[in-house]
Each structure stands twice: as structure tokens, then as C-alpha cells.
Amino acid sequence: PLGPAEPPAASPETAADDGFDGPASKRARIHDLPGWNLAAVTFEVFSDRFATLPAARKSVRRGEVRVSGEIRRGDYRPMPGEDIAIVTRVSSGKPLNVSDLPEDLPRLEVAHEDAHFAVVVKPEGVNTVGDARGGWTAERMLPYFLAPTIGVEGALVRPRPVHRLDALTSGLLVVAKTRLAATSLSEAFASRRVTKRYRAVLCGTPAGPEIVEDVDDDDDVAGVAASKVGVIDAPMEGKQCVSHWRVVRDAPDASMRHGRLTLVDMWPKTGRTHQLRRHAAGALGCPILGDARYNPKHSPEDDVDGLFLRAVEVTLPPSATPWRFGDGNAADDGDRTKYLRVKVDDPAKFSARVPQA
């Protein structure tokens, strides 16, 4: 009883002052009335666009579905002959002024940005997304630091993270600004096609690593061969949990509380809660400096400088950022020249505790 119709000529209903100022992406006309609400009708008519009914409901709530040019609630029941149109947002919400943020709130830094996504540096002590307390989060701060997306189909009202960092962990956080970016980046993270490198300071000296030859990272960091990497394969809660790691350098602990401190690189190959912190403390026997939760010898003096763990590098395959290419080979992840690598420096506190020789 329901089916798509030929798109009519452009009309004023395809434009609005709410960010949906692009053309209707698809239209259909209702021929019969089965008594369904707007969300159900949208899911039925545009089945090639929505994989599930909840996805159609969300689109209705966002105001992307118009009935004869008007925004309707999800429980509205369309009449026979009415047009159903899905319009595409092409502008994000207005940017917010960073001067309006609380003065004592740590600031985000922008490491990379284009119209579709950004990579920001999240400060330690800030949650990635909201919690029941409703305080400031990295997600809430994003509109204050990122440029608005204008003239791009599928622009999100507000940028949103596609993965998370622990509140105590600082470093690179990947953020979507469009629906295309949200989908492609989330899929890349879920399928473990994104490589993340962390830098940490460990309490003590870990035993020499097992040598492996096949490593995602191809840099030579601080003179350490990229192939000299240890493998931690220690399941958590019955699930596979794998991390790679390598020593960068070590130094005596000036505080004399931990003997020696070791600067390491770590790559999580799975995404378990507190994976690197637990692998460092358990498998390596060398907790991360400042980790009160997993270091039984933690002292109040270690809290002064926080947790010594930072996400310092993220490498994205071409399929995660298809908008960057116009040659038809955007999804060719076999071409290493098309990978996007974003890096940031270690915090100053790392070199202060483990100085270079």
C-alpha cells in the first residue's frame, strides 16, 4: 500500500532555518492509510535508508522527516495523498564562544579538523561523554572549540565522539561532525581497523618483551626498532584481551618511591575497560604511575601529577575517512599512503619523571 513516487520539483518545504537547508534527499507519497504512525510509515517507505524502526524514530525526532512540508511528531498518522519527505541537514549548530566556559575548566586542543570530523586532545580529569552528574564533558565542550560544518550533507547538530577515553586518560579523541563520519569512523573502531598508540610511565622495570615481527606501527621511536614489541595476551572477564608494548627509555625515580620508572608505548588491540592499566599492573607487574586503582603501592604523593597515560597517536585507514578521496579508491585500506596519522607530544610531566639521557 505504500511506495515511493517520482520526486516533485523543488519546493519551499525542502528548506528551513533549522539547519535543514539542503534539498530533500528522498520523497514518497502515501497512497493508502493503514493506520500507522509517522515513524512506522517512514520505516516502511524508506526501508533502504533505515535498517531498524528505532533508526526511523530517531530521524523523526531530529526533524528530518516532513509531512507535506511540515515537521510532525512520531505519533502523527499521515493521511492518504500526503507527501513524506526526508530532508538532509547541511549545517551544524552555531559555534559557541570559548570565553563563556568556566575559567577553571581544562581546555580542549584541536590536533586535526576538516568539515566531517576532528581529532581533539582531551585533558585528563574530564569525562568523554555525560554522566548522571551532568557536568562538563569533552562532548559538551566540542562546539566551543570546533568550527561549524556548513554546506555538507548530513551535518550533525553537534559534534560527537566515536569512541571513549577514560576520564583520567588524556590524549587524542576522534570526533564526528557529519553522519557519514559517524558511520564510517564508528565502523572502523568497531572492526579494530584504527590503530591507537598510548604513551605511559610505569612504576618499575618490566621483564623483556617477547619479540614479534608483524607490527602495525612503522615508526622508529627513540631508536627502538618497530619490530621489538612485546605481546600481552591476558583475557579479561573471559574475553580475549591483547595489547602490544615496547620500552622507550627508563630512568631512576627521583622520588625514590618506585626504584626506576619506564616510559613505554602501548597499543590496545582489543577494547576492554581499563585494558592498558590492568595489563600494565597485572601482566607486566608494573602499574602506571599515578594509578591509584590498580597499584597496591600507590601513595598520596603519586596523586600530585595525575595518571601518566596519554593517547599520543591515532592512525585511520582510508575507509574510515572516505570523504578525503575523489579517486574512487577511498576504501582501499591496502594503500598505506592514504592512511591518516595524527600525533601529539608527550605531556611535559612525562619527560620530567623519565628524562632523556
Side-chain angles (χ1 to χ4, degrees):
L2 305 175
E6 290 296 322
S11 62
E13 69 209 42
T14 64
D17 294 330
D18 53 8
F20 296 100
D21 47 0
S25 58
K26 189 171 182 181
R27 288 177 177 272
R29 180 176 291 260
I30 300 176
H31 298 292
D32 297 310
L33 179 64
W36 296 351
N37 62 33
L38 180 57
V41 170
T42 300
F43 178 56
E44 173 71 15
V45 175
F46 301 109
S47 58
D48 59 335
R49 181 184 178 98
F50 301 106
T52 64
L53 178 58
R57 290 197 187 104
K58 185 179 294 185
S59 185
V60 172
R61 287 198 302 269
R62 288 195 295 252
E64 296 173 349
V65 180
R66 308 290 170 87
V67 180
S68 296
E70 297 184 16
I71 298 176
R72 297 288 189 178
R73 291 165 50 97
D75 58 359
Y76 176 78
R77 299 184 182 278
M79 302 294 291
E82 287 188 307
D83 278 335
I84 303 294
I86 297 180
V87 295
T88 302
R89 178 179 292 276
V90 296
S91 296
S92 61
K94 294 181 180 179
L96 303 179
N97 195 328
V98 69
S99 64
D100 294 332
L101 290 173
E103 292 184 0
D104 59 347
L105 184 68
R107 273 27 183 180
L108 298 178
E109 297 177 18
V110 180
H112 177 90
E113 184 178 14
D114 63 29
H116 286 270
F117 91 119
V119 183
V120 301
V121 182
K122 184 190 81 68
E124 61 182 300
V126 175
N127 287 323
T128 300
V129 296
D131 55 26
R133 293 171 293 182
W136 283 97
T137 65
E139 181 177 34
R140 184 179 173 188
M141 294 163 61
L142 289 172
Y144 292 87
F145 294 91
L146 298 182
T149 293
I150 300 174
V152 179
E153 182 175 326
L156 299 176
V157 178
R158 292 283 183 257
R160 61 173 182 255
V162 296
H163 66 113
R164 299 188 184 190
L165 294 177
D166 294 340
L168 297 179
T169 303
S170 66
L172 296 176
L173 181 69
V174 181
V175 175
K177 298 171 63 177
T178 65
R179 291 179 62 182
L180 172 61
T183 299
S184 58
L185 288 168
S186 295
E187 289 177 350
F189 273 94
S191 61
R192 303 175 186 172
R193 288 180 284 119
V194 177
T195 301
K196 296 174 290 180
R197 179 169 64 89
Y198 290 72
R199 185 61 63 87
V201 175
L202 306 186
C203 300
T205 303
E210 174 188 350
I211 305 303
V212 296
E213 296 180 357
D214 187 14
V215 183
D216 290 335
D217 181 67
D218 57 9
D219 273 354
D220 184 59
V221 177
V224 180
S227 61
K228 191 178 179 64
V229 172
V231 178
I232 303 172
D233 189 352
M236 294 181 180
E237 289 81 43
K239 297 180 179 179
Q240 182 186 32
C241 190
V242 178
S243 302
H244 288 178
W245 68 284
R246 70 178 170 202
V247 172
V248 178
R249 63 179 183 268
D250 66 354
D253 180 15
S255 72
M256 303 182 67
R257 291 193 299 272
H258 306 290
R260 296 189 72 82
L261 298 176
T262 305
L263 187 69
V264 298
D265 284 323
M266 302 187 79
W267 295 263
K269 298 303 176 179
T270 49
R272 311 303 175 205
T273 301
H274 297 171
Q275 175 174 321
L276 297 181
R277 295 166 63 184
R278 295 168 70 180
H279 271 174
L284 299 182
C286 297
I288 295 175
L289 183 62
D291 194 344
R293 182 166 185 170
Y294 297 106
N295 185 0
K297 297 181 180 180
H298 180 83
S299 65
E301 291 84 355
D302 292 327
D303 292 329
V304 175
D305 294 318
L307 184 69
F308 281 67
L309 178 64
R310 183 180 181 90
V312 295
E313 182 177 353
V314 60
T315 304
L316 302 169
S319 58
T321 57
W323 56 87
R324 296 195 301 121
F325 308 95
D327 57 6
N329 295 317
D332 182 12
D333 287 352
D335 186 351
R336 298 293 299 184
T337 65
K338 291 187 177 181
Y339 278 60
L340 177 64
R341 177 174 292 180
V342 181
K343 300 181 184 180
V344 290
D345 295 332
D346 298 353
K349 68 179 185 180
F350 281 42
S351 56
R353 296 301 297 268
V354 189
Q356 293 190 11

